[in-house]
């Protein structure tokens, strides 16, 4: 999975400071949250997806594979409002299902908001290293080192836990262990996996804690860092890129409206 998320080329977004980029993404989240124009949210989603395809550093087929689940996000977030929302202009009714013009546009609006949120988060994840992010948070946002290094250690230990799970599963298969079907089988599997994996995790956590303590990883914020996190002109370039994308989305929503309705209110 780590190799799958490794970009094939580096762009401005990869070279920007993770802390500054995180602030920009949070501003995008707020803008998306308070956007009531249906046309603008549609064009905003298109603009974010274009930036994702062009500036993420990943091939298009990989991006398509990652955004494929967003179709389910769009449908699941919009279908409830469309089928059961309130509205004055009734289009179709059958039992408890009641589709109106207002509920339809509200559902579409919520769906595009959801996929825009997901695309913005995916853009940040695909262009940011976890190690660089935590170093930037420690040096620029003053995050306590004990929390940052703990998160980094946990991220690095996740592949080891998965490897131990596979070893345990293969060992049980070699021994010919069989499980009952249904809920009873799930309970039996949990008993066979939980205790060994938990004990190994406790041992590993203890070794990591001893190693970090011996390396002087304490609560003091005054420490030196091997990786220096600095602000560069790439941060300004990313800010201009995102601002240009949003300005283009707003201009298109004014020049070429897709739905021609007023702001969607709930």
């Amino acid at each position: 999975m780590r190799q799958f998320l490794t970009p094939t080329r580096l762009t401005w977004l990869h070279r920007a400071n993770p802390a500054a980029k995180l602030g920009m993404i949070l501003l995008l989240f707020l803008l998306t949250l308070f956007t009531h124009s249906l046309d603008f949210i549609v064009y905003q989603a298109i603009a974010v997806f274009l930036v994702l395809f062009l500036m993420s550093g990943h091939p298009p087929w990989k991006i398509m594979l990652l955004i494929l689940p967003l179709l389910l996000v769009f449908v699941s977030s919009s279908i409830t409002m469309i089928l059961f929302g309130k509205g004055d202009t009734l289009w179709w009714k059958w039992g408890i299902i009641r589709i109106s013009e207002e509920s339809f546009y509200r559902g579409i609006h919520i769906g595009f908001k959801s996929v825009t949120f997901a695309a913005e988060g995916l853009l940040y994840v695909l262009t940011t290293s976890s190690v660089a992010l935590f170093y930037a948070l420690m040096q620029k946002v003053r995050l306590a080192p004990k929390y940052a290094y703990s998160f980094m250690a946990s991220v690095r230990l996740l592949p080891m836990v998965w490897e131990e799970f596979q070893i345990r599963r293969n060992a049980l298969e070699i021994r010919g262990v069989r499980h009952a079907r249904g809920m009873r089988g799930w309970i039996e599997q949990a008993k066979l996996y939980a205790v060994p994996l938990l004990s190994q995790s406790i041992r590993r956590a203890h070794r990591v804690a001893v190693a970090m303590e011996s390396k002087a990883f304490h609560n003091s914020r005054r420490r030196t860092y091997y990786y220096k996190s600095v602000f560069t002109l790439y941060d300004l370039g990313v800010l201009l890129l995102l601002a240009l994308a949003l300005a283009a989305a707003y201009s298109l929503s004014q020049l070429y409206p897709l739905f021609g309705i007023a702001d969607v209110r709930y």
Side-chain angles (χ1 to χ4, degrees):
M1 188 64 181
R2 186 177 179 182
Q3 294 179 351
F4 180 79
L5 296 178
T6 301
T8 57
R9 60 186 177 88
L10 297 180
T11 63
W12 290 356
L13 294 177
H14 295 88
R15 296 183 174 91
N17 188 279
K21 191 164 46 177
L22 180 61
M24 299 176 198
I25 295 297
L26 291 178
L27 290 178
L28 284 181
F29 283 161
L30 293 176
L31 178 63
T32 304
L33 179 63
F34 293 104
T35 297
H36 299 289
S37 173
L38 181 57
D39 294 323
F40 180 44
I41 196 63
V42 172
Y43 283 113
Q44 185 180 347
I46 296 174
V48 174
F49 277 111
L50 285 178
V51 175
L52 181 62
F53 274 95
L54 297 177
M55 303 298 294
S56 66
H58 294 266
W61 68 267
K62 189 181 295 185
I63 300 297
M64 290 295 297
L65 187 62
L66 291 173
I67 67 176
L68 191 61
L70 298 187
L71 296 177
L72 179 61
V73 173
F74 179 85
V75 174
S76 61
S77 59
S78 61
I79 194 66
T80 303
M81 177 62 73
I82 292 176
L83 296 181
F84 306 104
K86 296 181 179 180
D88 299 328
T89 306
L90 184 63
W91 283 356
W92 186 73
K93 183 178 181 181
W94 183 70
I96 62 174
I97 299 177
R98 188 177 186 276
I99 302 178
S100 63
E101 181 181 3
E102 292 82 3
S103 65
F104 175 78
Y105 288 131
R106 290 169 184 166
I108 297 299
H109 186 257
I110 292 176
F112 274 103
K113 269 194 175 184
S114 301
V115 297
T116 305
F117 279 130
E120 292 166 353
L122 186 61
L123 178 64
Y124 185 79
V125 170
L126 293 180
T127 58
T128 307
S129 169
S130 60
V131 175
L133 171 61
F134 287 116
Y135 270 100
L137 292 178
M138 284 188 291
Q139 299 178 39
K140 301 302 181 183
V141 191
R142 301 305 179 186
L143 178 66
K146 63 177 181 179
Y147 298 120
Y149 284 114
S150 299
F151 279 116
M152 281 193 288
S154 62
V155 170
R156 294 297 180 89
L157 292 178
L158 285 177
M160 299 182 186
V161 176
W162 174 250
E163 183 180 358
E164 287 186 356
F165 173 79
Q166 291 179 323
I167 293 174
R168 179 66 176 171
R169 183 179 59 183
N170 295 334
L172 293 176
E173 290 181 357
I174 293 174
R175 295 173 184 175
V177 178
R178 297 293 182 267
H179 309 287
R181 294 183 178 181
M183 184 60 66
R184 181 181 176 184
W186 284 97
I187 296 176
E188 292 177 356
Q189 290 187 38
K191 292 180 180 179
L192 292 174
Y193 285 100
V195 175
L197 294 180
L198 181 60
S199 60
Q200 289 292 338
S201 299
I202 294 175
R203 295 191 189 99
R204 185 179 296 107
H206 178 71
R207 291 196 297 267
V208 171
V210 173
M212 293 182 69
E213 186 177 359
S214 64
K215 295 287 186 179
F217 287 94
H218 45 74
N219 295 332
S220 176
R221 296 176 182 268
R222 299 183 59 184
R223 59 180 303 115
T224 58
Y225 300 97
Y226 183 79
Y227 297 104
K228 293 293 184 180
S229 181
V230 295
F231 294 118
T232 62
L233 291 178
Y234 290 111
D235 305 329
L236 181 60
V238 173
L239 178 61
L240 294 177
L241 174 65
L242 297 179
L244 181 62
L246 293 176
Y250 180 77
S251 301
L252 289 174
S253 66
Q254 298 297 316
L255 296 175
Y256 305 100
L258 299 175
F259 298 94
I261 62 173
D263 294 349
V264 177
R265 300 290 178 176
Y266 302 96

